[in-house]
Each structure stands twice: as structure tokens, then as C-alpha cells.
Amino acid sequence: MAGEITLRKIREAAYLGGEITPPGDKSICHRALILNSLAEGAAKISNPSPGEDCRATISCLKALGAKIQKGKPLPSPTLLISGTGRLGLREADNVLDARNSATTMRLLSGLLSAQPFLSIISGDASLRSRPMKRLIEPLRLMGAEIWGRGQDSFAPLVIRGKQVHGIDYLLPVPSAQIKSAILLAGLFAQGKTAIYQTTPSRNHTELMLREMGAELETDGNWISLTPLSAPLVPIGFHIPGDISSAAYWLVAAAIHPNARVKIMNCGINPTRTGIIDVLLAMGAKLKLENQRLEGSELVADLLIESSELKGIEIAGDIIPRLIDEIPVLAVAGCAARGNTTIRGAGELRVKESDRIANVVKELSKFSARIEELPDGMVIHGGKLLRGTDVDSHLDHRLAASLAIAGLVAKGETTVHHAQVVKVSYPTFWEELEMLTGYQPEEKS
Ligand code: S3P
């Protein structure tokens, strides 16, 4: 894009300190937008995620008939959502554009499978290369008519909405997006839907649906949903800070020799706090204060300071609880004493970029000793990182994670395609500047 800053230079920081309030949680915000758009009446949400991903969800929902407007920006930004309720959504007059956002595409596809009109949904090159069979398969079992490019493997997706029916489904991948897509179709299905998840994933959809009056029960790893007999009740709340964005500062402070950072109003839903468990197990000086509920989501303030980390093994059921934080945890592994091994994270290969190959490739450029595994990586920690030129591969989590490595690397680091942080954390570079007290150079 003309005039966009695509390159950031970072120097080893002498000090890292201050107070930070991470942007509103992206996963929670998508769901608050979608579910309130279905509700009967209006809701006001404050602290919506400012990233491009949630903007894509807003544009799609507007095209489907929901009214979403900006409210008062102070003390924190708000959105007013008028749900379509009993009237229902309407057919969009163009292709829906999910841009870079798989959550937008997958959740909306589930919902649109059960609406009485045709929808076509597409996205950018990265999203069009991500697996969609895992979405199409369960929706077809529900009777949906949904097709994708490459023999139903990829977007664009075409959906001829119709009356679907409930299913009993064993989720083959621990994906909250697929689980949520099935639940959204299940709201309008004939008969109950039951989902069995072998490994639990983030449960924001379940929590929010229940709060909005849906009949949803959970029993161990089972979720069972009764179709709606009346529209959802709107809910307004303050969206907690995104722990996936807070993760950069948690790792930065833990690995920096002279750091103390307070992270305010951070979501600590237990299905998302793998990063906290891992950092504590690595020896991080991390404290949770002022724990409270925001709607049905747990929130706390986090205090973290310079720590002597040791390498650990990260594998098993914890993986879905920290899947998006693995790039920055790999940076923590580089700074830790001993080896950090990450296994069972093959899903990383089908995120916004191949996060196993790209994390290994880019961290190696800092002189880190790191080996690729089919489903993870082994990081031989404790080696001095050297500033270098690295590339985000147009992946927002990689851009920010590489910047954190740059903060502790000797000399200067340049992150190319740095603008991509806007997908989830548009103010990332300003916050980095604020916490380190210097201005990273920017170039177009
Ligand atoms: C998300 C679920 C996860 C996560 C993604 C957001 C969500 O993806 O990686 O960033 O909001 O449901 P999967 O469902 O593919 O595991």
C-alpha cells in the first residue's frame, strides 16, 4: 500500500518498563460482533479489537444486514450493534471479504450455511491457502450445501444456505473456529447438536452463547446445543485485553535483563492461559493481581519482571491453550538456559503462514540454534542473539515476535513487512516505543 511503513528497525533496549493495556481480545470481539448481530435488540461493546481481522467481520456483518456503528470513543472506544433478531440476516449483494481472518471466514460460514440465501466468502492470498475441508465436512454432515475451490479444500467458499439438522460430531482437530462454526449452524438447526472435543480449545463462543440465552450445556469434553426457540438476548460488555497481544510484553520483560512491566485488564480465560503456565514453569517472575469477571470472562492485571528462564518441553493438551503464542515462546526459548522443545503443534503450519518453518528460519538469522520438527521445534537456548534483517512473511504474530527478539539481540534488527501487525495489534510499534523509551526507525 502506498505510503505504508513496511520496515522497522529495533535496537537492543537498555530498559523495558511501564504499564500497558493490551487491545481488546480478537477472538472475543469476533464473537461479540457476530452473536450480537443475530440478537433481538441493541448492544454496546467497549474496547473492541482494533485489528483488521475484526474490521473484516464488521464489514461482512454489515453486508448481511446488521447495523454496527462507532459509539463514544472515551473512556474507551465503543461499538453499537443492532442485531437483526427475528427479521434475520439478508443476502449480501457481493462476495464477503474475510481478508486475512480465518475466524471471520469459518465462523460466518457455519452461520451462513443455515440462512436462507446464497453467500460467497473469500479472503486474501494467505486465507485462500488455508484448509477449509475441516469446515466443509462437518457442515455437510449437517446437510449444508457448501463448496470450496480445489475439491472443497480452499476458499473462496460458496454456500447455498438451507435448513440444516443437528449432528453428533467428534472434532478431529482441536479448533475453536470449527467448533464455533458448527455451533453457529446448530443454533438454526433442526434437532440438537453435540460436539466432542478430544482436547479443549478456547471456549468464548460457549460462554457467550449461554449468557445470551442459548441452551448450551457442557459435560467434560462434550458440548450440547439446543436450537434457538427465541432470538439471542444482546449483551454489552467491556472486551478484556488480548492475552495473545500481552504475550509479547510478557516474554519481552521475562527475557530482558532490566525490565518491569504491568499489563492491565488482560483476559485470563483458562482456555487461553497456556502462555502463563509455560512462563511460570520456565521460572518467570510473573504475578496475577486483581482477578475479576468481565461478563463471563476472567480478567486480571499481570506483573512481570526480568527473569532467569530455563528451557522446558511444551507439548500435549496445553498446545491449543497457547497455539498463537508459540512464535513468541520460541523467542523465550532462545533466551532460556537449556533446551525448549515444542511438539504436537503441527497446526502451526496452517496458520497465517507456516509458523514452524518461518519461526525457525527467521530466528536462525539471529544466530539462534533452533531445529525444525514436523510438529514443532527444538530450541537450544542461551546463545547470544545478534541483530539482523528478518521478514514477517506477512504474518502478524511473526512480525511482533521478531521485534521482541530484536529487543534483546546485540546490535540492530530490521523487521521487513512490519506493517502486518495491524491485523491484530495496530499500535504494537508505538507501545514498543513507549516501553523502551526510544523511537524505532521507520521506512516506507
Ligand atoms: C481462534 C482459534 C484458533 C486461533 C486463532 C483464533 C478463534 O484457531 O489460532 O488465532 O478465535 O477461534 P483454530 O480454531 O484454527 O485452532
Side-chain angles (χ1 to χ4, degrees), residues 26-28 30-31 103 106-107 130 134 174-178 180 201-202 204 323-324 347 351-352 355 397:
K26 186 157 82 71
S27 290
I28 297 176
H30 281 298
R31 287 150 173 90
T103 309
R106 293 186 175 134
L107 268 59
R130 296 182 65 183
R134 55 176 67 188
S175 161
Q177 292 174 354
I178 306 304
S180 303
S201 59
R202 64 194 70 194
H204 309 300
I323 188 77
D324 293 338
E347 272 297 298
K351 294 293 179 190
E352 286 82 333
R355 286 185 180 158
R397 304 231 184 263

Coordinates of all heavy atoms in Angstrom, one line a residue, residues 26-28 30-31 103 106-107 130 134 174-178 180 201-202 204 323-324 347 351-352 355 397, ligand 1:
K26 N -9.2 -10.3 20.3 CA -9.7 -10.5 18.9 C -10.7 -11.6 18.9 O -11.8 -11.5 18.3 CB -8.4 -10.9 18.1 CG -8.7 -11.0 16.6 CD -7.4 -10.8 15.9 CE -6.5 -12.0 15.8 NZ -7.0 -13.1 14.9
S27 N -10.4 -12.8 19.5 CA -11.4 -13.9 19.5 C -12.7 -13.5 20.1 O -13.8 -13.8 19.6 CB -10.8 -15.1 20.2 OG -9.7 -15.6 19.5
I28 N -12.6 -12.8 21.3 CA -13.9 -12.5 22.0 C -14.6 -11.4 21.1 O -15.9 -11.5 21.0 CB -13.6 -12.0 23.4 CG1 -12.9 -13.1 24.2 CG2 -14.8 -11.4 24.1 CD1 -12.5 -12.6 25.6
H30 N -14.7 -10.9 17.8 CA -15.4 -11.5 16.6 C -16.7 -12.1 17.1 O -17.8 -11.9 16.5 CB -14.6 -12.7 16.1 CG -13.4 -12.4 15.2 ND1 -13.5 -11.7 14.0 CD2 -12.1 -12.7 15.4 CE1 -12.3 -11.6 13.5 NE2 -11.5 -12.2 14.3
R31 N -16.7 -12.8 18.2 CA -17.9 -13.5 18.7 C -19.0 -12.5 19.2 O -20.2 -12.6 19.0 CB -17.6 -14.5 19.8 CG -16.9 -15.7 19.2 CD -15.9 -16.4 20.1 NE -15.3 -17.6 19.6 CZ -14.2 -17.7 18.8 NH1 -13.5 -16.6 18.5 NH2 -13.8 -18.9 18.4
T103 N -10.9 -16.7 11.4 CA -12.1 -16.7 12.3 C -13.3 -16.2 11.6 O -14.4 -16.7 11.7 CB -11.7 -15.9 13.6 OG1 -10.5 -16.4 14.1 CG2 -12.8 -16.1 14.7
R106 N -14.5 -18.8 8.9 CA -15.0 -20.1 9.4 C -16.3 -19.9 10.2 O -17.3 -20.6 10.0 CB -13.9 -20.8 10.1 CG -12.8 -21.3 9.2 CD -11.8 -22.1 9.9 NE -10.8 -22.7 9.0 CZ -9.5 -22.7 9.2 NH1 -9.0 -22.2 10.4 NH2 -8.6 -23.2 8.4
L107 N -16.3 -18.9 11.1 CA -17.5 -18.7 11.9 C -18.7 -18.3 11.0 O -19.8 -18.8 11.2 CB -17.2 -17.7 13.0 CG -16.8 -18.3 14.4 CD1 -15.5 -19.0 14.2 CD2 -16.6 -17.2 15.4
R130 N -5.5 -21.6 3.2 CA -5.7 -22.3 4.5 C -6.8 -23.4 4.4 O -7.7 -23.3 3.6 CB -6.0 -21.3 5.6 CG -4.7 -20.4 5.8 CD -4.9 -19.4 6.9 NE -5.0 -20.0 8.2 CZ -5.3 -19.4 9.3 NH1 -5.4 -18.1 9.3 NH2 -5.4 -20.0 10.5
R134 N -11.9 -29.2 6.7 CA -12.2 -29.4 8.1 C -13.5 -28.7 8.5 O -14.1 -29.0 9.5 CB -11.0 -29.0 9.0 CG -10.6 -27.6 8.7 CD -9.5 -27.1 9.7 NE -8.2 -27.7 9.5 CZ -7.2 -27.5 10.3 NH1 -7.3 -26.7 11.3 NH2 -6.1 -28.1 10.0
P174 N -8.4 -29.9 17.3 CA -8.8 -29.0 18.4 C -8.9 -27.6 18.0 O -8.2 -26.7 18.4 CB -7.8 -29.2 19.5 CG -6.5 -29.6 18.8 CD -6.9 -30.3 17.5
S175 N -9.9 -27.3 17.1 CA -10.1 -26.0 16.6 C -11.3 -25.3 17.1 O -12.4 -25.7 16.9 CB -10.1 -26.1 15.0 OG -10.7 -24.9 14.5
A176 N -11.1 -24.1 17.7 CA -12.2 -23.4 18.2 C -13.0 -22.7 17.1 O -14.2 -22.5 17.2 CB -11.7 -22.2 19.1
Q177 N -12.4 -22.5 16.0 CA -13.1 -22.0 14.8 C -14.1 -23.0 14.3 O -15.2 -22.6 14.0 CB -12.1 -21.5 13.7 CG -11.2 -20.3 14.2 CD -10.1 -20.0 13.2 OE1 -9.9 -20.7 12.2 NE2 -9.4 -18.9 13.5
I178 N -13.7 -24.2 14.1 CA -14.6 -25.2 13.6 C -15.7 -25.5 14.6 O -16.9 -25.6 14.2 CB -13.8 -26.5 13.2 CG1 -12.6 -26.2 12.3 CG2 -14.7 -27.6 12.6 CD1 -12.9 -25.5 11.0
S180 N -16.9 -23.5 16.7 CA -17.8 -22.4 16.7 C -18.7 -22.4 15.5 O -19.9 -22.0 15.5 CB -17.1 -21.1 16.8 OG -16.3 -21.1 18.0
S201 N -10.5 -26.4 23.4 CA -9.9 -25.2 22.8 C -10.7 -24.0 23.4 O -11.6 -24.2 24.2 CB -10.0 -25.2 21.3 OG -11.4 -25.3 20.9
R202 N -10.3 -22.8 23.0 CA -10.9 -21.6 23.6 C -12.4 -21.7 23.6 O -13.0 -22.2 22.6 CB -10.4 -20.4 22.9 CG -10.7 -20.2 21.5 CD -9.9 -19.1 20.9 NE -8.5 -19.5 20.7 CZ -7.5 -18.7 20.5 NH1 -7.7 -17.4 20.3 NH2 -6.2 -19.2 20.4
H204 N -14.8 -19.2 24.2 CA -15.6 -17.9 24.2 C -17.0 -18.0 23.6 O -17.9 -17.4 24.1 CB -14.8 -16.8 23.5 CG -13.4 -16.7 23.9 ND1 -13.0 -16.4 25.2 CD2 -12.2 -16.9 23.2 CE1 -11.7 -16.4 25.3 NE2 -11.2 -16.7 24.1
I323 N -1.6 -21.8 21.3 CA -1.2 -22.0 19.9 C -0.7 -20.7 19.3 O 0.3 -20.7 18.6 CB -2.3 -22.7 19.1 CG1 -1.8 -23.1 17.7 CG2 -3.6 -21.9 19.1 CD1 -1.0 -24.3 17.7
D324 N -1.4 -19.6 19.5 CA -1.0 -18.4 18.9 C 0.3 -17.7 19.5 O 0.8 -16.8 18.9 CB -2.1 -17.4 18.9 CG -3.3 -17.8 18.0 OD1 -3.1 -18.7 17.1 OD2 -4.4 -17.4 18.3
E347 N -0.4 -27.9 13.8 CA -1.4 -26.9 13.4 C -0.7 -25.5 13.0 O -1.3 -24.8 12.2 CB -2.4 -26.6 14.5 CG -3.6 -27.5 14.5 CD -4.4 -27.4 13.2 OE1 -5.0 -26.3 13.0 OE2 -4.6 -28.3 12.5
K351 N -1.4 -21.8 9.8 CA -1.8 -20.5 10.3 C -1.6 -19.5 9.2 O -1.5 -19.8 8.1 CB -1.1 -20.2 11.6 CG -1.4 -21.1 12.8 CD -2.9 -21.0 13.2 CE -3.2 -21.9 14.3 NZ -4.7 -22.0 14.6
E352 N -1.5 -18.2 9.6 CA -1.4 -17.1 8.6 C -0.2 -17.4 7.7 O -0.1 -16.9 6.6 CB -1.3 -15.8 9.3 CG -2.7 -15.3 9.8 CD -3.1 -15.8 11.2 OE1 -2.6 -17.0 11.6 OE2 -3.8 -15.1 11.9
R355 N 4.1 -21.4 10.5 CA 4.8 -20.8 11.7 C 5.9 -21.6 12.2 O 6.7 -21.2 13.1 CB 3.8 -20.4 12.8 CG 3.0 -19.2 12.4 CD 2.1 -18.7 13.5 NE 1.4 -17.5 13.1 CZ 0.2 -17.1 13.6 NH1 -0.3 -17.8 14.6 NH2 -0.4 -16.0 13.1
R397 N 1.8 -12.3 13.8 CA 2.4 -12.8 15.1 C 4.0 -12.9 14.9 O 4.7 -12.8 15.9 CB 1.8 -14.1 15.5 CG 0.3 -14.0 15.7 CD -0.2 -14.5 17.0 NE -1.7 -14.4 17.0 CZ -2.4 -13.4 17.6 NH1 -1.8 -12.4 18.2 NH2 -3.7 -13.5 17.5
Ligands
S3P1 C1 -9.2 -18.8 17.0 C2 -8.9 -20.1 17.1 C3 -7.5 -20.6 16.8 C4 -6.5 -19.5 16.8 C5 -7.0 -18.3 16.1 C6 -8.2 -17.7 16.7 C7 -10.6 -18.3 17.3 O1 -7.6 -21.2 15.5 O2 -5.3 -20.0 16.3 O3 -6.0 -17.3 16.0 O4 -10.9 -17.1 17.5 O5 -11.5 -19.2 17.4 P1 -8.1 -22.7 15.2 O6 -9.5 -22.7 15.5 O7 -7.8 -23.0 13.8 O8 -7.3 -23.6 16.2

